[in-house]
Every structure is written in structure tokens, then in C-alpha cells.
């Protein structure tokens, strides 16, 4: 526990195990949400749209391409920070593996949604789960999400804040995914109305969840 205290804020040691379990649960919910979005064929969130495009082109499982994309985010943080890159930031690899592992499982077993009603409901469920999972991960204050960490770093370097950094991050990943799809398949893959909805409503779900459960989640910190 003393070693863990070097990396994480631990005020109540007896609550750390439940906190860790909730953190893992958040990753499972997040993985389910982002994967379920891809099954609607409406388009996924910018980060997953990039992973989905590379998965479709290469034929590799979405979990694998998600993990490689997370590693890319960590590498870009290293490139930007150089000597200011802290060793504990490498713990993001653990989160990347955990989330990508569950994405790979859900991508294998979740069916593609075919009817319009199922696709619309699936999009709503996917966005909701993505927001709830992200909120739990953030609230447990353990290992940061590499994609959010990179977006925040971009905002800091541009002196415009996290929100602007997230916009730059989303645009860069969407543009790259679109170019790769057009070059390799002659069309854009994994980007659509669902992508726009994810960009708009995921943040609202996070805000609502934190408003309703902030005191409960803070109990474990």
C-alpha cells in the first residue's frame, strides 16, 4: 500500500480495494459503450473511429487496434513532454490494456444491429455507457485515460485549456481516420451521425452522472 501511495491519492486504505473494483467496472462499462456504438453503423466516437477504421482495413480485432491507438497517445505525450514525461505516466499502458481487452471481448460477441429502432436505441445505450464509464474512471482518480491525457496536454501547450485540446484531438483523429479510409477503401469508415452524437452527448452524460453521484464516488477516494 505504501508503494501505491506514491502514485495514487489514498486517504482511506480500507476503501482502496472497492475503489479499484469500481475503476475496473468503469473500464468495462466504457468498453461496452464504445464497442456497442460501432455495432449501430452510425459511426463511433473520434478515438474509436480511428481504431475502428484501422481494424476494418487490417482485419485485426478492434481491441488490438484500440490498444495500439492508446499506445500512440502515450507516445505522443512523450514526444511533447520529453524530459517532463514522468515515469508514472507509463501506468497508462495498464489502463490501455485493460480497456482494450474488454473492447476486444465485446467486439467479438456483440452482434451488429440491423433494424433502425435497434440501432437508435443502441446508439443511446452506447453513448450513455461511454459517459458513465468515463465518469467512474475519472472519479476513482487512479490511472488517467491516455486519450484524455493527450487532449489535455494539447490544450495546455496551446494555452487554450482542455476543451480546446479535446477539439483539436478529435479533429486530428477523425481527419486521420477519414484519410486512411479513403486511401485504403475509397470511402470513410466508422464516421457518421453517431460520431457527432457521441461528441455532443457523451460530455453531457458525464456531467449528469457526476452531478448525481459525485458524493458517493468521493467516498472511495
Amino acid at each position: 500500500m505504501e508503494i501505491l501511495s506514491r502514485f495514487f491519492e489514498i486517504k482511506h486504505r480500507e476503501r482502496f480495494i472497492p475503489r479499484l473494483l469500481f475503476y475496473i467496472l468503469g473500464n468495462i462499462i466504457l468498453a461496452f459503450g464504445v464497442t456497442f456504438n460501432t455495432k449501430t453503423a452510425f459511426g463511433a466516437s473520434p478515438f474509436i473511429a480511428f481504431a475502428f477504421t484501422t481494424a476494418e482495413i487490417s482485419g485485426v480485432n478492434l481491441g488490438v487496434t484500440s490498444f495500439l491507438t492508446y499506445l500512440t497517445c502515450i507516445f505522443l505525450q512523450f514526444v511533447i513532454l520529453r524530459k517532463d514525461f514522468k515515469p508514472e505516466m507509463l501506468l497508462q499502458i495498464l489502463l490501455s490494456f485493460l480497456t482494450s481487452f474488454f473492447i476486444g471481448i465485446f467486439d467479438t460477441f456483440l452482434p451488429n444491429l440491423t433494424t433502425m429502432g435497434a440501432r437508435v436505441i443502441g446508439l443511446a445505450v452506447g453513448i450513455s455507457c461511454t459517459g458513465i464509464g468515463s465518469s467512474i474512471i475519472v472519479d476513482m482518480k487512479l490511472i488517467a485515460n491516455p486519450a484524455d491525457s493527450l487532449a489535455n496536454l494539447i490544450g495546455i501547450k496551446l494555452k487554450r485549456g482542455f476543451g480546446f485540446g479535446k477539439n483539436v484531438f478529435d479533429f486530428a483523429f477523425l481527419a486521420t481516420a477519414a484519410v486512411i479510409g479513403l486511401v485504403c477503401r475509397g470511402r470513410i469508415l466508422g464516421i457518421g451521425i453517431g460520431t457527432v452524437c457521441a461528441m455532443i452527448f457523451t460530455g453531457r452524460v458525464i456531467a449528469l452522472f457526476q452531478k448525481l453521484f459525485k458524493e458517493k464516488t468521493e467516498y472511495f477516494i
Side-chain angles (χ1 to χ4, degrees), residues 58-97:
S58 64
V60 176
N61 183 274
L62 181 62
V64 175
T65 57
S66 296
F67 181 64
L68 294 176
T69 307
Y70 276 129
L71 292 183
T72 300
C73 291
I74 298 171
F75 176 73
L76 290 175
Q77 290 177 67
F78 172 76
V79 170
I80 295 173
L81 290 172
R82 296 296 178 93
K83 62 181 181 180
D84 293 325
F85 186 88
K86 299 178 180 179
E88 56 264 31
M89 295 176 72
L90 291 174
L91 290 173
Q92 293 178 34
I93 296 175
L94 295 178
L95 172 63
S96 303
F97 177 80

Side-chain angles (χ1 to χ4, degrees), residues 118-162:
R119 292 170 65 197
V120 171
I121 293 173
L123 179 63
V125 171
I127 291 174
S128 298
C129 288
T130 300
I132 292 171
S134 296
S135 183
I136 294 174
I137 291 172
V138 171
D139 289 346
M140 290 301 102
K141 296 181 180 179
L142 290 175
I143 305 173
N145 182 293
D148 289 340
S149 294
L150 176 59
N152 185 51
L153 180 58
I154 292 173
I156 291 173
K157 290 299 181 179
L158 295 178
K159 299 180 180 180
R160 296 289 298 274
F162 175 68

